[in-house]
Amino acid sequence: MVGRLKKEFFQRDVLVVAPQLLGKKLVRMVSENEIIEDIITETEAYGGEEDLASHARFGKTKRNTLMYEGGGVVYVYLIYGMYCMLNIITSTKNKPQGVLIRSLKNTEGSGRVGRVLKLDKSFYGEDLCKSSRIWIEDSNYRNFKIEERTRVGVDYAGEWAKKKWRFVLVENK
DNA sequence: AGACTGATTGGCT
DNA sequence: GCCAATCAGTCTT
């Protein structure tokens, strides 16, 4: 059966949720006549306040308050003044974790994903379980394996930059 | 109040 | 390979 992922799916540890999002179907209803559906092929996990690569590294701030509210919502933010990054908040209250959607089957690159999906700051806090414009469905896409790699663009995070918290979907042959 | 920088991409030297 | 685009958040004065 295929259906929308429930709150419980997201309210687990980010290192469990991030790899499990691979192969799931992201649905974005832009308008009544335009629906984008694509398979998630690359995710990246960001841990709690101790993860020096995460926005939560400064503690609770205006931008990342959402990360402390519990899993199942969308966390969008602007980077380099031009790209909206799509993140899914995971875990439970006061555990600031999130998953960056880095690539879809038809769109590689986190910045491009945000552009293709026409995301903007109005998606900040959008509930994946209730929204009528964006959600994630389970899928029957199973014929793949998962590769773990180091995260991208987080060299400033010292030892944390070496963690293999990026998960890539690789098709089986 | 002002400076600096980033979970990026694309274009030019 | 290098750098501009472009702005919100964080840090410094």
Side-chain angles (χ1 to χ4, degrees):
Chain A
M1 250 327 274
V2 174
R4 193 187 287 220
L5 295 183
K6 297 185 174 64
K7 211 82 177 174
E8 292 74 35
F9 178 91
F10 302 104
Q11 298 192 332
R12 296 175 295 164
D13 191 86
V14 69
L15 291 179
V16 173
V17 179
Q20 286 192 19
L21 278 173
L22 294 177
K24 294 291 188 286
K25 186 165 70 175
L26 178 67
V27 184
R28 162 80 171 105
M29 187 174 288
V30 181
S31 68
E32 284 190 12
N33 306 316
E34 188 180 3
I35 299 178
I36 299 171
E37 297 186 350
D38 208 347
I39 298 294
I40 296 171
T41 58
E42 189 174 356
T43 61
E44 215 165 85
Y46 286 86
E49 294 180 355
E50 67 279 5
D51 179 2
L52 296 180
S54 171
H55 286 166
R57 65 186 180 278
F58 303 116
K60 201 172 193 173
T61 63
K62 190 177 179 185
R63 173 170 64 167
N64 66 27
T65 296
L66 194 62
M67 299 182 79
Y68 291 78
E69 300 300 310
V73 297
V74 172
Y75 173 55
V76 171
Y77 72 91
L78 189 66
I79 188 66
Y80 298 114
M82 19 171 68
Y83 300 106
C84 283
M85 311 292 276
L86 173 61
N87 299 258
I88 311 298
I89 298 305
T90 71
S91 195
T92 49
K93 207 168 173 58
N94 294 322
K95 290 182 182 173
Q97 303 185 338
V99 178
L100 170 67
I101 304 301
R102 191 166 271 290
S103 294
L104 303 176
K105 216 167 172 48
N106 298 317
T107 307
E108 285 191 5
S110 50
R112 292 183 203 144
V113 168
R115 184 202 299 164
V116 168
L117 298 180
K118 295 185 170 63
L119 298 179
D120 57 56
K121 299 207 77 176
S122 73
F123 282 86
Y124 185 88
E126 192 85 356
D127 192 328
L128 286 169
C129 302
K130 298 174 184 169
S131 175
S132 58
R133 348 184 247 173
I134 187 167
W135 64 88
I136 297 175
E137 294 181 3
D138 201 352
S139 80
N140 297 316
Y141 197 78
R142 297 273 185 275
N143 191 30
F144 62 85
K145 59 179 176 164
I146 296 173
E147 283 192 8
E148 299 179 4
R149 305 193 189 153
T150 53
R151 292 182 288 183
V152 175
V154 293
D155 292 344
Y156 59 83
E159 289 297 310
W160 290 88
K162 297 173 184 167
K163 291 192 177 297
K164 294 193 171 181
W165 283 3
R166 180 159 59 106
F167 303 94
V168 183
L169 180 156
V170 180
E171 307 259 357
N172 283 331
K173 297 191 175 161

